[in-house]
Amino acid sequence: LGKRRDTFVTAVRRIIPGIPAPAQPAVSGLLDELNGIELKDDPNRAATNSPENAGWEEELKNQGLTLTATWTNGTKKVSLDYNIVQPTDGMSPFYLAQRQVAVGEFVDLINANIRSKETEEVLAKLPKWARGESANKPYNTPMAWRPRFGSSGNFTGLELNPAWISNTTAQVKGLLDDLELRAQTPALEQAVAEKPTLRSPLQQIVPSAAKIFAEKLLGARLPTIQEWQAVMKIAGPTTNGNFRGSSFQNLFNYLRDYNVAGQTIAWRPNEGAFPLMVTPADGGKRTRLKDDGQAGADSGGTRLWLAPVDEGTPTVPGGFINLTGNVWVYLHETVKANETVRDQFYVAGGSALSPPGIDLLQPQKVEVSQLIGATTVTEGFSDVGIRPAFDAPPGFRERYKLIVLVREQKYLTL
């Protein structure tokens, strides 16, 4: 590209004397600007990861501002659209998926590569129940996928869950199976009637498994805090997304007030949701935020559970769907301390199960202290998923600037 630019500049300089005098300074200025763009290849630069390196086909669109990555395996096909993000503060450009990863895509990619080294790495980070090695399950929590077993009872992969609430304690099962009670209680009926689909967002994935899945099977990675903040700065503060609505509040209130023959129900629709931590006004020990089940005043949604990843009004600019709301997305940072390197995960964006009033611009740290009795984060959350990202090729900013200059100039016809 640099050689083509140099040839172009040299050729135009030869014909400047024949250009009308009033236009000559502008043409010369255009050539100087083109010539000032640094276009050079660095053979020592580190290779950047992209979907193509993981076996996906890449198609650039809109002068490279959009990239479609497609994976196929027999009749299975997964397609992810990425938009370029060009921060204004000197950060390197990067691609970010227009939407969250769907649970059907996660299931297809895992099952198609079930015996591969990469998939084994993902499965090794999932809880034992997800690999069929334990009967202990995330009871009473919204769950869009589950382990799949063959006729002999052996683990064969993953599959879509038939209902959002399918692994239940006896008390919750009795409540959900009571047809007469459901007929009298719209909130309870909606909890059963809504089902996950293959386009529901992936959730209940351990952060370390999400990182490996994004890197090894998507050829991408989890976004960083700085990248998330850059996206939000470009998109602007937005509450456009699937947030907790009146359906959630109605079910929460019904369960809270349930008392039959002295029996109460501990289950709430935000069971297993990401636990928000707050610092008391006196600066004491951080504690888990108490959630009263209230819905946001402007939530507007009619769903109780999570919406399909394709459902929502795209954010302008950028074209991102549910950049906030529906499910939080994982962020990742590499932390160095005392010569030790470790992964630190965050979540950002809020969800359909989150309480109103949270700071959508502020990433929340995933801490072991949030999980009662845990020493490591080995379980996922019912409202946290994945929106993958990857670096734009080196020199993208310069190449795009050149394309814009050539296309927008008013003096030359190519």
Side-chain angles (χ1 to χ4, degrees):
L1 187 61
K3 291 178 181 178
R4 292 178 62 190
R5 185 271 314 273
D6 295 343
T7 300
F8 173 78
V9 170
T10 300
V12 176
R13 290 200 190 283
R14 292 197 189 105
I15 66 172
I16 283 182
I19 296 175
Q24 287 186 11
V27 174
S28 295
L30 169 68
L31 297 180
D32 291 341
E33 196 167 0
L34 287 172
N35 215 35
I37 298 176
E38 185 176 0
L39 297 170
K40 65 179 182 179
D41 185 32
D42 181 4
N44 297 317
R45 68 175 171 82
T48 55
N49 198 23
S50 74
E52 187 176 38
N53 295 336
W56 296 59
E57 293 184 4
E58 296 180 3
E59 179 184 3
L60 287 171
K61 302 175 182 177
N62 192 21
Q63 301 175 10
L65 296 181
T66 303
L67 184 147
T68 298
T70 304
W71 169 91
T72 55
N73 185 289
T75 60
K76 300 293 185 180
K77 179 179 178 180
V78 176
S79 184
L80 286 172
D81 291 323
Y82 293 83
N83 289 337
I84 198 74
V85 178
Q86 299 193 71
T88 58
D89 56 0
M91 284 177 55
S92 299
F94 61 95
Y95 284 100
L96 182 68
Q98 291 181 3
R99 57 170 176 78
Q100 301 139 352
V101 173
V103 68
E105 295 167 336
F106 175 68
V107 168
D108 285 345
L109 287 163
I110 291 294
N111 290 346
N113 302 279
I114 195 70
R115 294 183 178 84
S116 71
K117 176 183 176 183
E118 292 78 10
T119 299
E120 288 179 352
E121 289 184 49
V122 177
L123 293 175
K125 292 296 184 179
L126 294 179
K128 289 184 177 181
W129 60 261
R131 307 191 300 267
E133 299 173 9
S134 170
N136 187 30
K137 300 174 182 178
Y139 289 104
N140 302 339
T141 67
M143 185 78 185
W145 58 274
R146 66 183 184 183
R148 183 184 66 190
F149 302 97
S151 56
S152 60
N154 58 309
F155 173 74
T156 60
L158 307 176
E159 64 183 8
L160 183 70
N161 230 1
W164 281 112
I165 307 297
S166 61
N167 299 320
T168 61
T169 57
Q171 188 184 37
V172 173
K173 177 177 173 56
L175 188 70
L176 299 179
D177 288 350
D178 190 331
L179 298 180
E180 183 178 352
L181 182 61
R182 281 165 41 190
Q184 301 169 359
T185 315
L188 198 60
E189 177 61 28
Q190 185 175 1
V192 178
E194 285 188 18
K195 312 286 186 184
T197 72
L198 294 176
R199 301 306 296 170
S200 296
L202 170 65
Q203 33 81 272
Q204 289 290 8
I205 181 169
V206 181
S208 55
K211 176 179 181 292
I212 297 173
F213 174 76
E215 294 174 351
K216 300 297 181 69
L217 294 181
L218 300 182
R221 55 176 172 77
L222 302 179
T224 66
I225 289 179
Q226 291 75 17
E227 288 172 340
W228 168 258
Q229 292 172 336
V231 172
M232 295 303 290
K233 183 177 181 180
I234 293 172
T238 175
T239 56
N240 179 25
N242 179 35
F243 288 99
R244 176 189 291 186
S246 58
S247 297
F248 180 99
Q249 183 173 329
N250 291 339
L251 180 59
F252 189 100
N253 290 346
Y254 172 79
L255 296 170
R256 179 198 60 197
D257 299 336
Y258 182 89
N259 190 317
V260 176
Q263 296 293 314
T264 60
I265 295 289
W267 174 54
R268 299 292 183 267
N270 57 345
E271 189 86 24
F274 181 77
L276 292 165
M277 304 293 285
V278 293
T279 301
D282 59 5
K285 183 179 179 181
R286 298 178 74 230
T287 58
R288 190 175 297 189
L289 175 68
K290 292 184 179 180
D291 190 349
D292 60 4
Q294 295 298 304
D298 57 351
S299 59
T302 59
R303 288 183 178 274
L304 170 61
W305 306 119
L306 308 173
V309 295
D310 318 284
E311 184 178 296
T313 303
T315 301
V316 178
F320 299 107
I321 298 175
N322 284 326
L323 190 59
T324 55
N326 212 31
V327 289
W328 301 83
V329 292
Y330 280 121
L331 308 179
H332 171 258
E333 298 283 337
T334 300
V335 178
K336 283 188 176 182
N338 299 325
E339 304 301 322
T340 301
V341 179
R342 64 179 178 86
D343 296 318
Q344 177 60 61
F345 296 95
Y346 299 80
V347 301
S351 78
L353 306 183
S354 301
I358 61 174
D359 187 351
L360 299 177
L361 303 180
Q362 181 61 46
Q364 306 286 330
K365 189 176 183 180
V366 179
E367 303 177 75
V368 175
S369 59
Q370 292 169 302
L371 310 175
I372 298 175
T375 56
T376 58
V377 182
T378 57
E379 294 283 349
F381 305 96
S382 56
D383 62 342
V384 181
I386 298 176
R387 186 186 292 266
F390 62 94
D391 296 338
F396 175 90
R397 196 189 301 272
E398 289 73 22
R399 291 198 296 275
Y400 183 69
K401 182 179 179 181
L402 183 145
I403 291 172
V404 170
L405 279 173
V406 172
R407 287 186 180 275
E408 293 186 354
Q409 55 77 29
K410 304 174 181 178
Y411 305 101
L412 307 176
T413 300
L414 303 181

